[in-house]
């Protein structure tokens, strides 16, 4: 992403974005070529490193995907941990210049968005911890359906343990990131109000993010 201090966001905003947008793209470049896999990801506040204001994530991949990313291959200590680029995409949408007012009229179309690209060291989890991560993922996403009889993953069930063997749990330690929230900050307050008003009808979630951005 092009650097622009006006749109740059810090670690706390990135952490909040990761909570709002847990469906992320995991990208790596093993010897066989570029690989990208989407996966649900959780912020791991329980990990000790998270207490030092670092961002730690947990997720899983199917075993075949993990193999494609080169995560199951033997690595020497000199190689260090494998790395992934994790892409977090928040709300985004087209912004028409017809919505601009005053001195902003006549400018080109653009796209408002919130996005972070995270450079992560990857830890492959052992089977027991992988199962605990799967339990957390199911519990997190099923929580909103609790009143409708949402399901839970019983980690003591042998069938679930067998199913989990087809997946590989990952802990992702964020070592660097590039993150932006482009929400018409370079426009006048009047134009921003006009854009938000238009988005209230066509993309209310993006309008809400623009209001939150101030």
């Amino acid at each position: 992403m092009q650097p622009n201090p006006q749109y740059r966001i810090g670690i706390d905003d990135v952490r909040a974005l990761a909570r709002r947008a847990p469906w992320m793209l995991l990208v790596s470049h093993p010897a066989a070529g570029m690989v990208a896999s989407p996966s649900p990801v959780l912020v791991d506040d329980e990990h000790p490193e998270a207490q030092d204001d670092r961002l730690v994530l947990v997720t899983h991949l199917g075993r075949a995907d993990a193999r494609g990313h080169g995560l199951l291959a033997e690595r020497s200590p000199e190689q260090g941990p494998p790395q992934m680029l994790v892409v977090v995409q928040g709300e985004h949408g087209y912004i028409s210049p017809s919505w601009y007012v005053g001195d902003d009229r006549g400018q080109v179309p653009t796209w408002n968005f919130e996005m972070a690209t995270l450079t992560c060291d990857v830890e492959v989890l052992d089977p027991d911890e992988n199962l605990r991560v799967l339990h957390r993922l199911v519990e997190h996403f099923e929580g909103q359906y609790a009143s409708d009889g949402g399901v839970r993953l019983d980690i003591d069930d042998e069938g679930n343990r067998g199913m989990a063997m087809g997946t590989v749990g990952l802990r992702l330690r964020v070592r660097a990131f590039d993150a932006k929230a482009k929400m018409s900050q370079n426009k006048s307050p009047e134009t921003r109000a006009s854009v938000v008003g238009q988005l209230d009808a066509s993309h209310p979630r993006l309008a809400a993010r623009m209001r939150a951005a101030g």
Side-chain angles (χ1 to χ4, degrees), residues 9-212:
I9 59 176
I11 187 63
D12 290 338
D13 290 320
V14 172
R15 185 177 287 106
L17 173 59
R19 295 187 200 281
R20 290 195 305 274
W23 184 245
M24 304 181 193
L25 188 65
L26 281 55
V27 183
S28 60
H29 194 177
M34 297 286 289
V35 183
S37 300
S39 186
V41 179
L42 295 182
V43 176
D44 188 7
D45 288 326
E46 299 175 7
H47 194 270
E49 288 189 23
Q51 308 308 311
D52 298 326
D53 204 31
R54 296 178 179 176
L55 182 56
V56 182
L57 309 170
V58 287
T59 185
H60 75 289
L61 290 172
R63 187 161 292 274
D65 285 317
R67 186 176 296 108
H69 283 271
L71 298 176
L72 303 185
E74 292 290 335
R75 297 179 67 88
S76 68
E78 292 76 19
Q79 288 178 292
Q83 287 197 329
M84 278 185 165
L85 186 71
V86 177
V87 182
V88 191
Q89 175 69 72
E91 297 300 334
H92 61 94
Y94 176 77
I95 306 299
S96 169
S98 67
W99 302 343
Y100 295 170
V101 299
D103 292 341
D104 292 320
R105 287 188 181 278
Q107 297 188 25
V108 298
T110 190
W111 205 277
N112 277 0
F113 64 91
E114 47 182 357
M115 174 181 280
T117 54
L118 316 175
T119 301
C120 303
D121 290 341
V122 183
E123 175 190 352
V124 176
L125 304 180
D126 64 45
D128 285 340
E129 190 162 12
N130 176 38
L131 190 55
R132 289 193 292 271
V133 167
L134 290 172
H135 172 79
R136 286 175 58 188
L137 285 161
V138 172
E139 186 176 53
H140 176 83
F141 292 108
E142 280 289 321
Q144 61 184 310
Y145 306 114
S147 61
D148 299 323
V151 302
R152 64 184 299 272
L153 182 67
D154 184 356
I155 62 176
D156 295 321
D157 181 84
E158 289 303 317
N160 288 334
R161 286 185 171 275
M163 174 199 66
M165 293 302 294
T167 69
V168 176
L170 306 176
R171 178 171 287 111
L172 308 171
R173 293 176 171 85
V174 179
R175 297 307 184 200
F177 66 89
D178 179 20
K180 293 170 66 174
K182 181 179 177 294
M183 297 290 172
S184 300
Q185 295 97 322
N186 61 333
K187 301 298 186 291
S188 70
E190 293 77 17
T191 289
R192 281 175 55 83
S194 174
V195 170
V196 169
Q198 294 289 339
L199 290 173
D200 274 331
S202 62
H203 197 332
R205 290 185 299 182
L206 180 56
R209 292 305 309 146
M210 286 189 64
R211 288 191 175 94

